[in-house]
Amino acid sequence: MHRPFNIDLRSLPDGGKDIAGQEPPAFFDLDAQDSVQAVSPLKYELHVERDGTDLLVSGRLEATFSLECGACLERFDHRVELPKYRAEIEIEKDATINLTDTIREDTLLALPSYPRCEDGNVRPRQCPAEGRFEPGLETAPDESQGAGPGVWEALNKLN
């Protein structure tokens, strides 16, 4: 079985090792109903090295996702590129460490929190909903002077 992110610490060379390749979009384990969907493989070029009680991971990650725009609800593509990826995992036992969850989470956390299609970096476009939902200015109705005690006067009476 192919498990590139399982790092056996007992056989890790002193200088670490390089791993490179790609994982299918299913690697991200996203629900089919989720507003985020992976549309390309995860491409990775990583160096894994032990540093005392930590496992240091550095390199490059890249994947493209289909997101739902928060304004127009249309889908658009957004590429996550982490050219200077770094992770530090504490070593608890000299056994095997699985980096899958760390890499998956770090890649997904790089996605925009509030996706807008004009922020898409694969095929840039203007959001069709731009300007349709501008907030109107809410003004309080004018309070006439002498319509009774004001808020501050009521507070002054408490003293």
Side-chain angles (χ1 to χ4, degrees), residues 46-59:
L46 301 171
H47 179 76
V48 182
E49 186 173 338
R50 187 178 189 147
D51 181 31
T53 60
D54 295 322
L55 184 66
L56 305 178
V57 182
S58 61

Side-chain angles (χ1 to χ4, degrees), residues 61-118:
L61 299 173
E62 180 184 317
T64 302
F65 295 86
S66 174
L67 308 176
E68 186 175 274
C69 178
C72 68
L73 303 179
E74 292 181 18
R75 298 202 71 78
F76 68 96
D77 288 347
H78 183 82
R79 181 177 303 115
V80 170
E81 293 182 57
L82 301 172
K84 295 180 180 179
Y85 177 73
R86 301 247 182 271
E88 189 173 315
I89 296 106
E90 185 177 346
I91 298 171
E92 295 177 11
K93 292 191 260 181
D94 273 348
T96 300
I97 292 183
N98 188 343
L99 302 175
T100 301
D101 289 342
T102 301
I103 291 171
R104 178 185 298 133
E105 290 170 13
D106 289 347
T107 306
L108 292 174
L109 285 172
L111 289 168
S113 299
Y114 302 101
R116 299 286 305 262
C117 56
E118 67 265 13

